[in-house]
Amino acid sequence: MVKEVIEKSRRPCIITHSDTDGVCAAALVLKEFVDKKFKVLVASPNSMAQKRFYRLVPRADLYLVLDLPLDQVWEVARNFLKGKIIVMDHHKPQRNLNKEGVTHINPLFRGSKYYPASKLVHDVLDSTHHWIAAIGIVGDMGVREWKDFLKGFDMKSLEEADKLIGSAMIYKGEKGALKAIRLVSEASSIEDLLNNKTLRSWKEKVDRYLKFLVEEFERKAEKIDDIAFYEIRPKYRIGSALASVLSLKYPHLTIVIINKKDGVANINFRRQDGRHDMEKLARYSTQGMGTGGGHERAAGGSIRLSGLEEFKRRVVQYLRGGRRAGCKSEFP
Ligand SMILES: [Mn+2]
């Protein structure tokens, strides 16, 4: 049914998340409907919460919202998105937009396992471009849940493709993400994508900078219990990539990257060993000061810079409380 609705649309617009999963989700749509002209926009859960984002949104008869929790920003978005809306998302739903006339597809309504948006779009469209979904799954850290689907793929190539796509966003911002969507949708195979010169040169620059920041983390991060706070003022949008690299290197630490810019702190939370839920931590620690949300192993948020000390206090308090509740031996 989704396929027919897209087929019939005359002015379709894709709004997708600016990470690898979102890029792959959008690229799968473009691949499936090669003859159709789509307007494409990238966004983040944060940017979509703000009215000024919608100034960029073109008129369309169909909005495909991919890898973005439209339900969380519905009170704002409903005023601007005039036309049919299809949401394909995998963030924890806070409300069901099917009651609002939206086609709202989210595997978590059925309590599904972790289900990256690119895999969801792949399945809904019955796509044969499995390699694009595979890159999205790796990008969104869904490897464990989808090992059968990933069988036969070279993991090294998938990881490299994820990093190439990520570098586009980090180095060139939203324009870079849009370019990555086009390049993925035009590539004939993963090898073809890996050979792209533009993406390769962007990744080299980003890698060099990441290496520098990882070294600095080891010297400058503030450690409390198994939490590492790391404040940065980076030259590229590197917070999320840096948090992921650090959390893979230190799976038993809760990594909290604080990116200060223009009176705002953008925050990335990571924990790879599953001991703490980053989505809950993000929501708790930013309450009343900004926004926070995401997934169990990776989450993000944004607060006013003036709330930074209170934010850190809440992070420590929340994680200590969680640990006590889970450890009976402390209370014989
Ligand atoms: Mn995603």
Side-chain angles (χ1 to χ4, degrees):
M1 184 212 110
V2 168
K3 258 177 137 165
E4 282 108 74
V5 175
I6 299 173
E7 199 55 76
K8 279 187 193 140
S9 149
R10 279 180 301 172
R11 304 175 71 174
C13 172
I14 295 171
I15 306 176
T16 196
H17 194 193
S18 54
D19 68 356
T20 294
D21 189 32
V23 165
C24 289
L28 278 165
V29 174
L30 298 186
K31 267 245 185 267
E32 212 53 45
F33 301 91
V34 260
D35 300 327
K36 241 187 184 12
K37 282 236 175 303
F38 289 86
K39 296 257 193 225
V40 185
L41 251 78
V42 296
S44 70
N46 276 337
S47 69
M48 279 200 104
Q50 289 151 16
K51 274 189 190 160
R52 62 163 190 258
F53 167 77
Y54 298 88
R55 276 187 238 145
L56 308 169
V57 175
R59 240 177 227 283
D61 61 356
L62 172 66
Y63 294 98
L64 281 174
V65 182
L66 309 177
D67 196 21
L68 288 164
L70 188 71
D71 53 302
Q72 292 177 22
V73 299
W74 181 240
E75 288 311 318
V76 179
R78 68 187 309 162
N79 303 307
F80 300 98
L81 302 183
K82 305 287 181 199
K84 270 201 173 62
I85 304 174
I86 298 174
V87 179
M88 290 188 253
D89 183 34
H90 69 128
H91 293 80
K92 199 184 249 178
Q94 288 176 12
R95 58 195 280 189
N96 190 332
L97 295 183
N98 287 297
K99 294 176 190 123
E100 305 282 336
V102 172
T103 302
H104 188 182
I105 304 171
N106 188 326
L108 294 178
F109 286 141
R110 294 179 276 110
S112 156
K113 64 176 175 178
Y114 190 69
Y115 209 129
S118 48
K119 177 68 165 68
L120 178 62
V121 170
H122 167 276
D123 293 354
V124 169
L125 299 182
D126 206 9
S127 169
T128 54
H129 305 284
H130 312 309
W131 63 275
I132 302 179
I135 297 170
I137 289 170
V138 169
D140 248 24
M141 302 191 179
V143 173
R144 244 187 292 156
E145 290 84 348
W146 296 98
K147 34 177 201 308
D148 288 346
F149 182 77
L150 296 176
K151 240 177 230 159
F153 286 102
D154 173 42
M155 280 308 289
K156 283 265 172 305
S157 303
L158 293 176
E159 283 163 12
E160 178 71 6
D162 167 35
K163 288 186 183 130
L164 284 175
I165 294 168
S167 300
M169 176 64 190
I170 293 167
Y171 191 62
K172 285 277 163 182
E174 271 143 29
K175 282 210 179 90
L178 290 173
K179 175 97 178 178
I181 291 170
R182 295 288 167 195
L183 290 173
V184 175
S185 74
E186 285 162 15
S188 58
S189 66
I190 188 158
E191 291 75 23
D192 190 19
L193 182 71
L194 293 179
N195 285 325
N196 186 273
K197 285 210 175 72
T198 310
L199 290 178
R200 298 199 71 83
S201 81
W202 290 348
K203 179 173 174 284
E204 267 166 41
K205 295 188 178 94
V206 169
D207 277 349
R208 227 174 294 146
Y209 192 47
L210 269 175
K211 192 161 172 264
F212 164 79
L213 287 172
V214 168
E215 282 165 17
E216 198 188 66
F217 169 87
E218 280 149 12
R219 284 181 283 118
K220 292 193 179 162
E222 179 189 353
K223 299 241 178 72
I224 301 175
D225 303 337
D226 56 357
I227 311 161
F229 292 105
Y230 184 26
E231 295 184 19
I232 56 173
R233 284 181 190 274
K235 53 180 174 176
Y236 317 133
R237 304 189 200 192
I238 211 155
S240 175
L242 177 64
S244 294
V245 168
L246 287 171
S247 73
L248 292 170
K249 193 166 181 192
Y250 301 104
H252 307 305
L253 288 181
T254 299
I255 307 279
V256 183
I257 305 285
I258 300 159
N259 185 346
K260 298 173 172 180
K261 205 188 164 200
D262 306 330
V264 173
N266 289 308
I267 299 151
N268 301 97
F269 304 86
R270 294 289 186 284
R271 178 85 185 202
Q272 288 299 339
D273 68 5
R275 183 146 186 202
H276 299 292
D277 185 334
M278 295 298 101
E279 194 258 343
K280 286 185 187 143
L281 174 65
R283 277 205 279 153
Y284 176 83
S285 60
T286 59
Q287 217 167 54
M289 298 194 291
T291 55
H295 308 288
E296 187 192 336
R297 276 167 272 173
S302 180
I303 56 164
R304 293 183 303 274
L305 203 48
S306 57
L308 188 57
E309 287 315 307
E310 167 67 8
F311 161 79
K312 285 181 167 178
R313 198 188 60 72
R314 287 188 197 172
V315 170
V316 174
Q317 178 201 46
Y318 183 84
L319 295 179
R320 282 189 178 158
R323 196 153 34 246
R324 258 201 308 280
C327 182
K328 282 177 193 145
S329 63
E330 273 184 36
F331 302 99

